[in-house]
Structures are given as structure tokens and as C-alpha cells.
Amino acid sequence: MPELHVISTGPARVTDLGRPAAHLGFSNHGALDEEAARSANALVGNADEAPLIEAMGAGIALRPTLDQVIAVTGAHAHLFVAGRPAPMWSAQHVRPGDLVEVRSIGPGLRIYVSVLGSLEAARALGSCAPDPVLQVGEQVVPGRSLRLLAHVRPRRSDFGSPLLRLNAAAPHRPRTVEIEVTPGPDAGAFGRDLALLYGRPFTMSHLSDAVGLRFAGPIPRAERGTELVSAGVPIGALEVPGGDHIIVLHRGRGVTAGYPVPAVVTRDGLDRLAQLRPGECVHFTHGSVSTSVARYRRARREIEHLRSRARTVLHRQFEIRAATAGGTDWFAAPAPAVKGITHDLPCTT
């Protein structure tokens, strides 16, 4: 059975895009930078929902027992394969025993490591994302070995090592982080105070986590007499609890809340927030639902085309088969060319 040995790491976990079980009262808990996770999986031909590693801050070092293809995306970092520098946001052939190291993460906070065929991980309600309520989740710690679901062997070639040339564009990360938001259900309750959200910096608190990111700044106040009952809230809801912080609910959020929501952060805004560190500042800007949805669909099309090309290239250069008798051989044939997106959009923008 092929494995990936964990040599060293900071905080890290095995996750995926999360648990589609809000209708049952469960949080999402998936990868916080969704675009980076999707891109990592696409670069090695995996499905969007395939498990991968999310690591924070201190970097990670891994060693496969057999040939493997890996990709690392997310925050800016320095990637080394067998001691040699390698580009982030690209597919890399790793030989048995080669050390894969990610060092000096930053700017940004989170990186994603995917392997061709994905990782073995226990699931609950359709996801392997860690959830303390469901008591599911796999932390990545030094000394642990992660089981891989595909045997990978390079095909004979006159060119020596496989030539992959599979790359994805890393998102631009400007010094001034602008987070686009769309109008929330309670925007009208803030009157003129709503303008305080825009044009001024908000600083991320060290009390932030995957449930909610807290920001200090010019806090808008709902008008007196506004009463709310607990109601369903989307991922990205910007809440004003009444203290000295505002809260942006992220992918670990509960499905209901009782604070007014003047705005909702867009999908790509959530990805930018996932790479923010405590003490860094953001500016919230006006956005529209239609523009956000169009941008999301365009990004999904680009990732689908990347995955289709990756499967074709990898199928030509490697012999790939399922590592377990009951495993799925995703690479029996190249994926068909993708002409458009037919997936249903999630409920948030």
C-alpha cells in the first residue's frame, strides 16, 4: 500500500471541500481557501471533493514510499523536492523516498498538498472534514503515515523523467486586501451607520478561527428597536454582535445565529480571508451577487479545464491504478474535454 510519511509539520489536517449537511444542522468545516484546494486537486487530476492536506504557518515535510505526483497551492511558500526548489501551483513527479518540503509560508497562512489519486480518509455525512460534533477528522502530525489510494509508475520514455508542465495561476495578493461583500438581509437596519463598513480598515483579531473571523474597526450599530430571532445564516455572513468587533462567519460556522447581518462576503472574498493573519487589515468593498456568481462560474470553468488537461497528461506519462481492491480507478482513461459548467451553484455567492 503506498503511503505518505509525515516527517514534520505545524498545524495540519486532512480535509476536503466540506460537509453539505447544513439542512441537518451540521457545519461545513471544509478547506478554508476553497480555490486553492480545488486547484491543488485539479493539478493532479483529482475530483474537486478529493481529500487533501491543509497546513498552516510552520510548513510541512513529507516523504512518499512510492512514485507519486503532488501539487502544492495556497499561500506564498518555498517548495523543495529532493532538496531542489520546485514551483508552487504546479504538478511535481516525486520519486520514492524523495523529501517534499514546504518552508517559509507567507504572505498568507494556509497551503494545500494534493496527491494523485488522493488520500484514504474516514467520512461522515459525505465529507472527511474534521468536525468535533461528529467526532470525525484526521490531524496530520509528525510520525504519521497517510495511506494513498493510487499506485503510480512512470511509463517508459525516451525523454527520461516525465514532463508534466501542468501549472495553475496563483491568485494576485495585493498589499491592501479588499474583501467584496454583497448586501445582507439586515442592511436596512443600520441606516447611515452602514457606511462605516466601507472605505476604512478593519484589523483581524487573534481570537479568529474557522468558525468566525473577528475584526476591530469602526463598528456600525443597528437602529434601536431592531429585534431579531435566530435564523439560518450563510457562510460569509458578516455579523455585528454589539461589542467591539464584527464577525465574518467562515466554513466552521454554525447554521443559525441571532445577530444582525448587514453584508455577506463573496466566495473569493472568503478565500482571501482564509489567507489572512492576525494583525493584518482588510477593506470591505461593495459588490453585486450577479458579478460574484459570474466570477465564480468563470473560475470553476478554468479549474475544470485544468483537471481535464491534467488527466490527459498524467494518463499518457504514468501507469495509474487503484491501490485497494475496492478503490476507484479515476484514471482508466483521460477525462473528456469540458465545454461548460453544469454543477448547481451553492447557496452562497
Side-chain angles (χ1 to χ4, degrees), residues 148-163:
L148 307 181
L149 297 183
H151 283 290
V152 179
R153 187 171 66 179
R155 298 183 188 275
R156 291 183 177 274
S157 169
D158 295 333
F159 301 101
S161 300
L163 300 174

Side-chain angles (χ1 to χ4, degrees), residues 10 21 79 142-143 169 171 180 183 193 219 233 237 256 276 278 284 292 307 321 323 326 346:
L79 173 63
E180 192 173 75
D193 255 22
I219 310 298
V233 289
T256 62
L276 208 64
F284 295 105
S292 175
R307 182 183 354 267
R321 60 185 177 84

Side-chain angles (χ1 to χ4, degrees), residues 274-338:
Q275 296 297 351
L276 208 64
R277 291 173 178 257
E280 294 184 320
C281 294
V282 301
H283 289 76
F284 295 105
T285 63
H286 292 278
S288 71
V289 173
S290 59
T291 301
S292 175
V293 168
R295 189 166 56 242
Y296 175 76
R297 285 175 169 163
R298 183 168 59 251
R300 290 294 302 277
R301 283 195 295 270
E302 291 173 356
I303 287 176
E304 293 293 349
H305 281 291
L306 173 62
R307 182 183 354 267
S308 178
R309 178 170 175 265
R311 288 191 175 186
T312 299
V313 170
L314 294 169
H315 176 73
R316 289 174 177 171
Q317 301 205 39
F318 294 91
E319 297 176 10
I320 307 164
R321 60 185 177 84
T324 60
T328 301
D329 190 354
W330 294 336
F331 301 92
V338 177

Side-chain angles (χ1 to χ4, degrees), residues 120-189:
E120 182 178 79
R123 295 176 182 268
L125 297 178
S127 172
C128 71
D131 188 317
V133 175
L134 293 172
Q135 296 184 340
V136 66
E138 185 163 354
Q139 300 301 316
V140 178
V141 295
R144 191 154 198 172
S145 294
L146 305 175
R147 299 180 71 181
L148 307 181
L149 297 183
H151 283 290
V152 179
R153 187 171 66 179
R155 298 183 188 275
R156 291 183 177 274
S157 169
D158 295 333
F159 301 101
S161 300
L163 300 174
L164 299 182
R165 296 181 180 176
L166 294 169
N167 305 284
H172 176 58
R173 303 192 189 279
R175 287 184 177 272
T176 301
V177 181
E178 294 188 347
I179 304 298
E180 192 173 75
V181 300
T182 58
D186 305 309

Side-chain angles (χ1 to χ4, degrees), residues 187-342:
F190 287 82
R192 293 182 179 179
D193 255 22
L194 186 62
L196 294 175
L197 273 180
Y198 305 103
R200 305 185 189 186
F202 285 80
T203 305
M204 183 172 161
S205 165
H206 70 281
L207 299 175
S208 301
D209 56 24
V211 175
L213 310 181
R214 295 175 177 268
F215 293 91
I219 310 298
R221 304 297 179 187
E223 295 175 346
R224 290 186 178 182
T226 300
E227 294 184 5
L228 295 174
V229 296
S230 292
V233 289
I235 297 170
L238 189 155
E239 292 188 322
V240 183
D244 59 353
H245 288 78
I246 62 173
I247 300 174
V248 176
L249 300 181
H250 221 292
R251 303 196 190 281
R253 68 86 171 87
V255 298
T256 62
Y259 298 120
V261 177
V264 179
V265 176
T266 60
R267 296 292 290 264
D268 53 347
L270 284 169
D271 292 339
R272 291 191 186 100
L273 289 179
Q275 296 297 351
L276 208 64
R277 291 173 178 257
E280 294 184 320
C281 294
V282 301
H283 289 76
F284 295 105
T285 63
H286 292 278
S288 71
V289 173
S290 59
T291 301
S292 175
V293 168
R295 189 166 56 242
Y296 175 76
R297 285 175 169 163
R298 183 168 59 251
R300 290 294 302 277
R301 283 195 295 270
E302 291 173 356
I303 287 176
E304 293 293 349
H305 281 291
L306 173 62
R307 182 183 354 267
S308 178
R309 178 170 175 265
R311 288 191 175 186
T312 299
V313 170
L314 294 169
H315 176 73
R316 289 174 177 171
Q317 301 205 39
F318 294 91
E319 297 176 10
I320 307 164
R321 60 185 177 84
T324 60
T328 301
D329 190 354
W330 294 336
F331 301 92
V338 177
K339 297 182 180 180
I341 294 293
T342 58

